[in-house]
Amino acid sequence: MSIELFYGILFLVAFLYASVGHGGASGYLALMALYGIAPEEMKPTALVLNLFVSVTSFTHYYRGDYFSKKIFIPIAAASIPLAFIGGMITVEETIYKRILGVLLLVPILRFFFFKNVADSKLHPHTVPVAVLSGGIVGLLSGMIGIGGGILLSPILLLLQWTNQKQTAAISAAFIFVNSVAGLGGMLTRGITFTSDMVFYVSVAFVGGFLGAYLGAKKFNSTVLKYVLAVVLLLASYKLIFAKA
């Protein structure tokens, strides 16, 4: 894979994930896996990119008045400490790749099969379920090096607590705080970043800014979703079935 193609896909990942309120860590991890970057560099690098992309996404959706603080607080309160703990856990490389390979299938399902929930069908959230969901997603996010938006979004939509844009706003904020907590946990055992981090951040930030801006408006990204789905499927296959 050429370096130009790598940065092109990186831009696409940030753009499309931000358009639905995600930071894009699962996509960045997929791309880095295809590019052969070591897991110890992949995890912190993906979380740093998450920080820049999720904050731009949250800003656009927050300005659109889609953020629900009462749903976010109990979820985040449980996820933050467990994401920190998860970041302290070192997962054996083969197991890590298998888990990541399975998780890469989740955003594909999220993009294509979780449709918008009409406001008339929304249900009030329940704090115990919110706390439990946040804790589980937070721990897994810290261990794998994702912000958790790809896992939280389907939960919110399935429980019918939020519509698509409300889900995007909550997910963006959730991804930011989880990424900070996960990085904090990783710092306790040392972090290795790729030497090209500045270029990664620059490309992801621009893609994320444009994606979040258009996503908060009315935006049809069907073709881009199919392109990203191919990348995620290739990476998932490589991680699950390739020999260690």
Side-chain angles (χ1 to χ4, degrees):
M1 181 186 295
S2 68
I3 192 64
E4 292 80 9
L5 180 58
F6 177 89
Y7 283 117
I9 297 176
L10 179 63
F11 178 89
L12 171 62
V13 169
F15 180 92
L16 187 52
Y17 272 72
S19 73
V20 293
H22 291 181
S26 59
Y28 309 138
L29 290 171
L31 179 58
M32 286 186 280
L34 287 173
Y35 206 67
I37 296 174
E40 58 267 23
E41 290 186 11
M42 288 167 55
K43 293 167 64 175
T45 298
L47 289 180
V48 169
L49 295 178
N50 254 5
L51 295 178
F52 286 90
V53 176
S54 63
V55 75
T56 62
S57 185
F58 174 75
T59 300
H60 286 296
Y61 281 100
Y62 183 82
R63 287 175 177 172
D65 198 27
Y66 297 115
F67 181 66
S68 173
K69 186 185 296 184
K70 64 181 180 180
I71 297 177
F72 171 75
I73 289 177
I75 294 174
S79 72
I80 292 172
L82 286 172
F84 182 88
I85 293 172
M88 298 172 64
I89 299 173
T90 300
V91 182
E92 194 275 324
E93 184 173 342
T94 301
I95 296 175
Y96 172 81
K97 288 181 177 180
R98 301 296 186 267
I99 294 175
L100 176 58
V102 172
L103 290 181
L104 290 181
L105 300 175
V106 178
I108 299 175
L109 298 175
R110 162 71 175 87
F111 285 141
F112 293 109
F113 299 106
F114 285 85
K115 305 303 181 182
N116 193 26
V117 180
D119 290 349
S120 60
K121 295 184 178 180
L122 295 178
H123 303 305
H125 75 290
T126 56
V127 173
V129 176
V131 170
L132 179 62
S133 301
I136 293 173
V137 174
L139 181 63
L140 188 58
S141 300
M143 290 172 57
I144 304 303
I146 59 176
I150 62 166
L151 303 177
L152 179 65
S153 293
I155 293 174
L156 294 176
L157 293 170
L158 282 171
L159 292 173
Q160 296 186 333
W161 288 352
T162 54
N163 60 33
Q164 289 276 22
K165 292 188 183 296
Q166 291 168 338
T167 298
I170 293 172
S171 293
F174 181 80
I175 288 164
F176 183 84
V177 298
N178 265 6
S179 296
V180 171
L183 281 169
M186 290 178 191
L187 279 171
T188 64
R189 53 185 175 80
I191 288 181
T192 302
F193 290 113
T194 174
S195 58
D196 295 323
M197 175 62 80
V198 174
F199 298 107
Y200 284 26
V201 169
S202 300
V203 172
F205 180 80
V206 174
F209 181 87
L210 292 174
Y213 174 77
L214 293 174
K217 311 295 182 181
K218 193 169 183 179
F219 173 57
N220 188 331
S221 56
T222 302
V223 174
L224 296 180
K225 287 178 181 179
Y226 281 115
V227 173
L228 181 57
V230 172
V231 174
L232 294 176
L233 282 172
L234 286 173
S236 178
Y237 178 84
K238 178 179 179 180
L239 289 164
I240 294 173
F241 297 106
K243 295 181 180 179

